[in-house]
Amino acid sequence: MASNARFLEDLLDDKDLDAVSRWLADRSSVVVAEELGRISGAEQAVAFRLLPKDRALDVFEYLDPVHQAELLEALRDDHVTEIFASLAPDDQASLLDEMPAKVASRLLQGLPYSQRRVTSGLLGYPAESAGRLMVPTPTVLTPDATREESLEKLQSRAKRYAAGPHHSIALATVAVTDESRKLLGMLELADLVTAPEGTLVGELLDEEQHSVSAYDDQEHAARLIQEADLLALPVVDDEDRILGVITVDDAMEVLEAEVTEDAYRAGGAEPLNEPYLTATVMTLAKKRGVWLIVLILAAFLTINVMQFFEDVLEAVVVLSIFVPMLIGTGGNAGSQAASSVVRALAVNEVRPRDVLRVIGREVRVGFLLGVFLGAVIFPILAFLYYPQVAFTISLTIVAICTWACIVGGVLPLVAKKLGVDPAVFSTPVVSTLVDATGLIIYFSIAGVIMADQIRQATGG
């Protein structure tokens, strides 16, 4: 795929527009959108203008909002207005979030009044809310409508969803409401089409129905769509009146964004919020530098512990050899536990109130891991050094693994309870904390097992 983008860049650099047109015609809209996202805004604009109008709109919808904003800034105003007006309201709202305030205001004012009112309504919801993500004013059916009447209504309304490749999904599952637009349930189009003639809509509704409030978190709505295998999830107000639907394609984008955010924070960096190749070097450095400063300061804990047990290290120098191995083992064990719990929290498999159950499981897991690793390393150390050292290191591994798993399992739950992203307490934070506490465990155990040797060395 990267070679495609490089080839497209070469054609644009050579100003071979005929070859660019052929390149674009030979590839799907999805591939074109992906490759446009790898080149500069000016080059995007040149290639985009070579696309036929209908295909250009399809390609534009497949672009990420960041790349959409970049492309619009490079296009002429009349072209920008036309493209922006063709988007669905939820996509318009996402795009406006990426644009400078003045540009966003100009784009919004360029819409017809009815369209501007709908998009402005979405912008009135919190940034990460379900209301911001929904496709508003969905087609609704009434329970007393027949199969034939409902299909005729859907056919007449289908043109509303012809603006892009994604929003026909909003017709695959249709809301059923009473006269006051209070949600009664959702009906899959397949059930309606295959129903016998004369069947009433109300007879086709499932007993189990799902919905979310417009102010619920987007991730919660997306997880519900994933777990319940829904094509569309209705969004309702406080009185259960239908406001819109969230489609599965938008839910997938939300989940992808959440996974990306967790991956950055688990690696000790702030989320980038823009594609890697379009981010400046300074942006990348700032996103990573903040966490590195925090981790460096936290590492002073480890230094202070080493200084506190300096006498022990001087008495039994061989102990210092195993410090990197022990803190590395503890950090890795804690990170594994943290990653497992962060993932379990993300998919709602555990909740903060399950902290005691998590501790119980992690104690057993950590102990088993420690016993296994200690048993493996004991004969090696006993042969290379002497039994006291082997026993000290092996017992320390058992204790550190157990402790690290507890820390890695509990910290994400505490973070969730405090309203902090659990991924923040993943690999970097857990590793740094376990490093310091692991050394305390190590030198404490060594002080007991090797007490006679330490006294002899220190003259105590």
Side-chain angles (χ1 to χ4, degrees):
M1 298 300 288
S3 61
N4 281 336
R6 182 68 260 172
F7 182 62
L8 179 58
E9 281 184 285
D10 291 340
L11 294 178
L12 290 168
D13 289 341
D14 295 339
K15 296 181 170 48
D16 191 348
L17 300 186
D18 288 338
V20 173
S21 296
R22 290 194 298 271
W23 189 95
L24 295 171
D26 291 341
R27 286 157 178 81
S28 68
S29 297
V30 175
V31 172
V32 172
E34 183 175 346
E35 300 311 322
L36 287 181
R38 297 173 180 268
I39 59 181
S40 68
E43 291 174 324
Q44 287 179 23
V46 172
F48 191 79
R49 291 191 181 100
L50 296 176
L51 291 167
K53 179 179 177 180
D54 292 341
R55 185 141 188 262
L57 296 179
D58 286 349
V59 169
F60 190 82
E61 282 222 346
Y62 282 120
L63 289 170
D64 292 331
V66 172
H67 289 137
Q68 287 179 340
E70 189 178 41
L71 176 57
L72 289 184
E73 290 181 2
L75 292 172
R76 300 188 309 270
D77 284 346
D78 57 341
H79 204 171
V80 168
T81 302
E82 180 182 4
I83 293 171
F84 185 70
S86 70
L87 297 176
D90 59 322
D91 290 333
Q92 290 174 344
S94 296
L95 178 55
L96 290 174
D97 283 337
E98 301 295 337
M99 302 294 292
K102 291 183 178 179
V103 178
S105 177
R106 189 178 76 244
L107 288 175
L108 193 59
Q109 291 302 317
L111 295 175
Y113 171 73
S114 59
Q115 198 173 356
R116 184 168 69 248
R117 183 166 57 86
V118 173
T119 303
S120 298
L122 293 183
L123 292 171
Y125 292 107
E128 299 296 327
S129 67
R132 198 68 166 266
L133 191 65
M134 68 181 177
V135 179
T137 60
T139 300
V140 297
L141 302 176
T142 56
D144 56 353
T146 64
R147 168 187 177 274
E148 291 71 29
E149 292 171 342
S150 300
L151 287 175
E152 183 178 350
K153 182 177 183 180
L154 292 178
Q155 288 174 344
S156 66
R157 297 287 295 275
K159 294 180 180 179
R160 291 192 175 202
Y161 299 94
H166 308 298
H167 295 285
S168 59
I169 299 174
L171 283 176
T173 306
V174 187
V176 180
T177 68
D178 60 16
E179 294 180 355
S180 64
R181 291 182 68 84
K182 184 175 182 179
L183 181 67
L184 301 177
M186 298 294 287
L187 176 63
E188 291 191 9
L189 183 58
D191 293 336
L192 185 63
V193 171
T194 58
E197 292 186 8
T199 302
L200 297 180
V201 168
E203 299 173 8
L204 300 174
L205 291 178
D206 292 332
E207 292 184 3
E208 185 177 7
Q209 299 293 342
H210 304 277
S211 64
V212 292
S213 164
Y215 292 94
D216 284 347
D217 187 79
Q218 288 182 0
E219 185 180 3
H220 166 69
R223 293 287 177 199
L224 181 55
I225 289 176
Q226 180 190 48
E227 293 169 2
D229 294 326
L230 304 176
L231 289 175
L233 177 67
V235 180
V236 297
D237 62 13
D238 293 337
E239 298 179 357
D240 282 338
R241 289 179 300 207
I242 187 75
L243 296 173
V245 294
I246 297 175
T247 55
V248 65
D249 58 316
D250 288 334
M252 290 172 62
E253 291 182 3
V254 169
L255 295 179
E256 181 185 6
E258 292 295 332
V259 169
T260 301
E261 183 177 293
D262 288 347
Y264 272 111
R265 286 183 170 151
E270 280 298 298
L272 201 53
N273 297 326
E274 61 181 300
Y276 173 82
L277 290 177
T278 60
T280 64
V281 173
M282 183 59 70
T283 298
L284 293 172
K286 285 196 299 185
K287 293 292 185 179
R288 301 175 188 180
V290 173
W291 269 105
L292 288 177
I293 292 173
V294 172
L295 295 176
I296 285 177
L297 295 177
F300 277 104
L301 288 172
T302 304
I303 296 173
N304 289 333
V305 171
M306 296 282 286
Q307 288 179 335
F308 184 81
F309 288 99
E310 188 175 358
D311 292 342
V312 177
L313 283 174
E314 290 178 353
V316 189
V317 178
V318 71
L319 293 178
S320 63
I321 298 174
F322 302 101
V323 168
M325 180 190 72
L326 292 173
I327 63 176
T329 301
N332 290 335
S335 298
Q336 288 176 337
S339 298
S340 297
V341 175
V342 167
R343 178 60 181 167
L345 281 168
V347 297
N348 207 30
E349 291 176 353
V350 299
R351 298 180 177 87
R353 65 171 177 265
D354 297 319
V355 61
L356 293 180
R357 296 178 62 187
V358 170
I359 290 175
R361 294 180 67 85
E362 292 300 332
V363 165
R364 287 175 286 173
V365 171
F367 182 78
L368 286 175
L369 289 172
V371 168
F372 171 74
L373 294 175
V376 169
I377 204 171
F378 182 85
I380 299 174
L381 295 179
F383 175 76
L384 294 176
Y385 298 94
Y386 45 92
Q388 272 188 311
V389 171
F391 188 60
T392 298
I393 302 304
S394 297
L395 185 59
T396 300
I397 287 178
V398 174
I400 285 181
C401 283
T402 304
W403 169 243
C405 287
I406 294 173
V407 173
V410 170
L411 282 184
L413 297 175
V414 173
K416 184 72 172 180
K417 185 67 175 180
L418 297 176
V420 180
D421 188 346
V424 171
F425 287 96
S426 192
T427 304
V429 174
V430 170
S431 295
T432 304
L433 181 59
V434 170
D435 285 354
T437 53
L439 287 177
I440 295 175
I441 293 172
Y442 177 36
F443 292 126
S444 298
I445 291 175
V448 173
I449 296 177
M450 308 183 74
D452 291 341
Q453 189 172 347
I454 294 172
R455 279 197 296 270
Q456 291 176 4
T458 56

